[in-house]
């Protein structure tokens, strides 16, 4: 094999469409653009969603809804949930691994609901005032 003998496989290359080159080519006269109208003319262009001047569908339909980017990123867990969790140290990853909170949650806050009797060390988790008192009373700590 020589560099000057390399050629593409048969059927790989297609001849480009030469429009407006006479009747015999099959693409003479209107050059495949049909008769009249915006698309037949040079520079014929319209935006995506353009409907010929009619009010476009995305503008005819009413605006609806709002999705807050901040909503649903902080989860609340109770003291009762911490009691059931058999881990001496708790952080967000431990809670996700135990399926106590969903995986998309970015922040956690412990609220005072239920009882806690064992010592638990919390790392990087927000705590309400009542929950902090209950955790420290049980011998735990909040970092």
């Amino acid at each position: 094999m020589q560099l000057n003998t390399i050629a593409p496989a048969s059927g790989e290359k297609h001849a480009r469409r030469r429009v407006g080159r006479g009747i015999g080519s099959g693409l003479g006269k209107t050059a495949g653009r049909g008769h009249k109208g915006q698309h037949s003319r040079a520079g014929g262009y319209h935006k995506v969603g353009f409907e010929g001047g009619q009010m476009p569908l995305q503008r005819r339909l009413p605006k609806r809804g709002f999705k807050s980017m901040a909503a649903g990123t902080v989860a609340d867990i109770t003291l009762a949930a911490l009691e059931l969790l058999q881990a001496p140290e708790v952080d967000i990853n431990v809670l996700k691994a135990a399926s106590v909170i969903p995986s998309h949650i970015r922040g956690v806050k412990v609220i005072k609901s239920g009882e806690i009797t064992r010592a638990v060390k919390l790392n990087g988790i927000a705590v309400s005032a009542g929950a902090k008192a209950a955790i420290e009373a049980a011998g735990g700590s909040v970092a």
Side-chain angles (χ1 to χ4, degrees):
M1 180 188 294
Q2 301 293 323
L3 281 177
N4 65 333
T5 62
I6 295 174
S10 61
E12 282 296 314
K13 293 290 188 178
H14 301 278
R16 71 184 180 88
R17 200 165 82 156
R18 297 187 72 218
V19 297
R21 293 294 184 274
I23 296 167
S25 71
L27 289 169
K29 195 183 171 215
T30 55
R33 287 172 170 259
H35 294 279
K36 297 187 184 174
Q38 185 174 21
H39 297 289
S40 72
R41 294 172 166 58
Y45 162 79
H46 61 77
K47 295 176 181 173
V48 173
F50 183 69
E51 298 182 19
Q54 172 176 292
M55 188 62 68
L57 181 67
Q58 75 270 19
R59 291 192 59 200
R60 288 192 302 248
L61 298 175
K63 292 194 279 186
R64 183 176 177 277
F66 167 77
K67 186 161 184 151
S68 172
M69 297 293 281
T73 58
V74 178
D76 292 338
I77 63 166
T78 62
L79 289 175
L82 276 180
E83 180 72 27
L84 292 173
L85 199 64
Q86 297 299 321
E89 289 195 25
V90 177
D91 62 2
I92 292 176
N93 294 329
V94 170
L95 295 171
K96 287 180 182 179
S99 298
V100 176
I101 59 172
S103 60
H104 71 275
I105 295 295
R106 292 191 201 141
V108 178
K109 184 168 186 176
V110 179
I111 57 174
K112 185 177 186 274
S113 177
E115 302 276 326
I116 189 161
T117 56
R118 58 186 198 80
V120 175
K121 184 178 180 188
L122 299 181
N123 293 322
I125 294 178
V127 185
S128 69
K132 183 175 182 179
I135 290 166
E136 289 174 348
S141 66
V142 177

